[in-house]
Amino acid sequence: MRLEKNLLFDIYEKMLRIRSFELKAQDLFANHKIPGFMHLYAGVEGVAAAACANLTAKDYITSTHRGHGHLLAKGADVKRLMAELMGKWDGYSRGKGGSMHIADLEIGLLGTNGIVGAGQPIAAGAAFALKYLKSEAVVVSFLGDGASNRGTFHEALNFAASFKLPVIFVCENNQNNCNYQSLASIKSEISDRAKNYGIPGITVDGSDVTLVYEAVNKAVLRARLGEGASLVDCKVWRHNVNFEGAYCSYQKASEQAAWQAKDPIVRLEKKILDYHYGAQSDLTALRAKVEAEIDAAVIFADNSPYPSPSELVTNVWA
Ligand SMILES: Cc1ncc(C[n+]2csc(CCOP(=O)(O)OP(=O)(O)O)c2C)c(N)n1
């Protein structure tokens, strides 16, 4: 299937924004401008951008510990996001939460989350509320393949399937959770786990935005029609190690080279050119526009103050 021009450009722009944001964040982290823990999303952009292209502002998502891409794809403010990572007052959580504590209910962001597998029960609960309220909105719940081994994932799938809830579980399957997916789970497709709960499950190449878009589109349609939940498993390769500063023992050079050749942004650029939707100069111009936006976000965050010490425990739950 050939996605139409505006849709492909919308997905492309979001992917560029995510990539550019992540490269800048990596640099800021290395230069001690971003404190704490940071898990980068580069290489996986096609999943967040193509999945969220099926959603409206009224729909919801739950994110993960690796959430910058999900947030930007759902329309988060780049400046507030950068300010949060840099620990500044204008950030989403007043600079006190960082990467894994960001939510914005107005645009349907039910939060990034430092607990692997915590998003799925939250998504099922939100979907239960939407069904109860007879809303047409749906929830997309992003997770990693590691999270699919947790009880929370199975409990959420069982609950969502039993109550025919409008939720789509989108797995970003990089085949590595820290170091050892092959040791931590049986060798089967994650999408097969949907069968146990009587809901559709599909595996797609997550670096091809058309395939991700189509699979999520079908699942969203089903959810909006009241037919219930689905699981979409997207095979991907992330460029970075688990978190910035981590030692990586699992990314084999040969696999890395093969996946880098399938970089989702490069693949989408080729598609746009092949379809004659635009020229190389259009792509370059969009890249420059997005990079300027990210630079402006860094200046904004740099100029934002740190929260005052008197704010230390305000809005902090303990
Ligand atoms: C409940 C829980 N256990 C362990 C961790 C430590 N941890 C942080 S990231 C991570 C890997 C998660 O793998 P996956 O879900 O596949 O996501 P990925 O990091 O590969 O994107 C782990 C185990 C955690 N944050 N939460």
Side-chain angles (χ1 to χ4, degrees), residues 124-205:
F128 185 84
L130 291 173
K131 182 159 183 165
Y132 186 78
L133 295 169
K134 299 193 173 23
S135 165
E136 276 196 354
V138 302
V139 188
V140 165
S141 182
F142 292 101
L143 64 132
D145 44 299
S148 75
N149 298 329
R150 291 215 57 217
T152 48
F153 167 82
H154 291 276
E155 200 173 324
L157 255 71
N158 182 53
F159 186 75
S162 305
F163 287 91
K164 289 197 167 202
L165 300 180
V167 54
I168 301 96
F169 299 97
V170 175
C171 182
E172 295 169 334
N173 184 354
N174 56 32
Q175 299 126 84
N176 286 295
N177 56 81
C178 287
N179 295 322
Y180 39 65
Q181 175 69 354
S182 57
L183 297 178
S185 83
I186 51 164
K187 286 216 182 295
S188 70
E189 291 292 353
I190 286 172
S191 57
D192 284 345
R193 298 179 188 186
K195 279 188 206 146
N196 295 333
Y197 303 106
I199 62 171
I202 182 172
T203 296
V204 296
D205 177 345

Side-chain angles (χ1 to χ4, degrees), residues 37 39-41 44 64-66 100 113-118 143-150 152 171-181 236 238 241-243 250:
F37 252 82
H39 305 76
L40 296 177
Y41 190 76
V44 193
T64 64
H65 55 290
R66 197 177 300 289
M100 292 181 273
N113 208 311
I115 302 170
V116 169
L143 64 132
D145 44 299
S148 75
N149 298 329
R150 291 215 57 217
T152 48
C171 182
E172 295 169 334
N173 184 354
N174 56 32
Q175 299 126 84
N176 286 295
N177 56 81
C178 287
N179 295 322
Y180 39 65
Q181 175 69 354
V236 293
R238 78 172 128 75
V241 291
N242 181 22
F243 57 88
Y250 56 83

Side-chain angles (χ1 to χ4, degrees), residues 215-258:
V216 176
N217 186 267
K218 209 169 155 192
V220 166
L221 209 60
R222 172 181 149 85
R224 290 205 204 284
L225 289 172
E227 291 170 11
S230 306
L231 170 62
V232 179
D233 176 31
C234 308
K235 293 272 172 72
V236 293
W237 188 260
R238 78 172 128 75
H239 292 182
N240 304 93
V241 291
N242 181 22
F243 57 88
E244 285 313 278
Y247 163 73
C248 180
S249 61
Y250 56 83
Q251 289 193 345
K252 292 192 201 97
S254 57
E255 285 177 5
Q256 207 166 19

